[in-house]
Amino acid sequence: MSDVSVLPGSLAVRNLFEDLLGREVTVSPGDPIGAPEVPLTTCAIFTDNSQKIYAVMGMTLSLAANAGAALGLLPAGAAEDSIDEKQLFPNLAENVFELCNVFTSLLNREGAPHVKLYQVIYPNQELPGDARAVLLALGRRLDLSVEVNRYGKGKLSLSLAP
C-alpha cells in the first residue's frame, strides 16, 4: 500500500504565506512546538472524508498574531498587543482561520484522500487529546521558523497523523 500523503516543502509554505499576506516571508528550519507552548498555540485540525484526523498544524501565538495582522493589513502593533495579552484577538483569529483554510491546498494531492479544515483551536481553548497527540508526535512533520516582514516571527509545526 503506498501512502500518498506528503508533507509540503518549506518553499510551498513560504509561497503560500507570501501570496496570502502580500509581503516577503522568510522560512527556515525551526524547532518543533513543544508541550509547554500548546496552550497559547493556534492549531488547525485537518481531516479526511471520514472525519479522521489527517494532520494538525500549530502556529505559536507570535506567528498567528503577526500573520493575522499582516493579512488584515493592520499595523504590527495590533499583533504586539495580542501577544502581550497572551490571546489572539477576534479580528486576528478570523484572518488566521482564513490562512488555515487556504493552507489546506498544500495538503491535497491528486490520488490522495480529500483533506479539509475541520476546526481551528485558538490560544486558551482546549485542544482535543487526539489532535494534541498528533501535533506533538515525532515522525512525519515539518517544523519551521516563519518571519513575516515588518511584523515578526514565530514557529509553525505541521504533523501528519500516523
Side-chain angles (χ1 to χ4, degrees), residues 17 20-23 25 42 59-80 82-83 87-100 122 146-149 151-154:
F17 270 82
L20 206 55
L21 304 181
R23 64 180 53 246
V25 173
T42 297
M59 287 185 281
T60 55
L61 178 58
S62 57
L63 177 57
N66 285 307
L71 183 58
L73 303 175
L74 299 167
E80 292 162 10
S82 189
I83 295 164
Q87 60 176 312
L88 193 62
F89 295 151
N91 57 334
L92 301 179
E94 196 175 305
N95 295 339
V96 170
F97 180 90
E98 189 55 40
L99 189 150
C100 293
Y122 299 102
V146 179
E147 182 168 2
V148 180
N149 189 32
Y151 280 87
K153 69 179 175 181

Side-chain angles (χ1 to χ4, degrees), residues 64-148:
N66 285 307
L71 183 58
L73 303 175
L74 299 167
E80 292 162 10
D81 291 346
S82 189
I83 295 164
D84 289 345
E85 294 197 24
K86 294 187 174 8
Q87 60 176 312
L88 193 62
F89 295 151
N91 57 334
L92 301 179
E94 196 175 305
N95 295 339
V96 170
F97 180 90
E98 189 55 40
L99 189 150
C100 293
N101 201 28
V102 173
F103 195 91
T104 309
S105 66
L106 298 181
L107 300 175
N108 280 301
R109 299 260 191 284
E110 181 129 1
H114 180 72
V115 177
K116 64 181 189 284
L117 178 61
Y118 173 73
Q119 186 178 18
V120 178
I121 307 292
Y122 299 102
N124 304 309
Q125 293 181 344
E126 190 65 33
L127 181 62
D130 54 350
R132 180 186 172 93
V134 171
L135 178 65
L136 297 176
L138 300 174
R140 298 181 307 157
R141 56 182 302 122
L142 179 67
D143 297 299
L144 300 171
S145 173
V146 179
E147 182 168 2
V148 180

Side-chain angles (χ1 to χ4, degrees), residues 42-44 46 55-59 99-100 103 135 156-159:
T42 297
C43 294
F46 301 97
V56 177
M57 178 179 68
M59 287 185 281
L99 189 150
C100 293
F103 195 91
L135 178 65
L156 181 148
S157 288
L158 175 69
S159 184

Side-chain angles (χ1 to χ4, degrees), residues 15 27 31 40 59 63 93 112 131 152 156:
N15 290 346
V27 172
D31 294 324
L40 290 180
M59 287 185 281
L63 177 57
L156 181 148

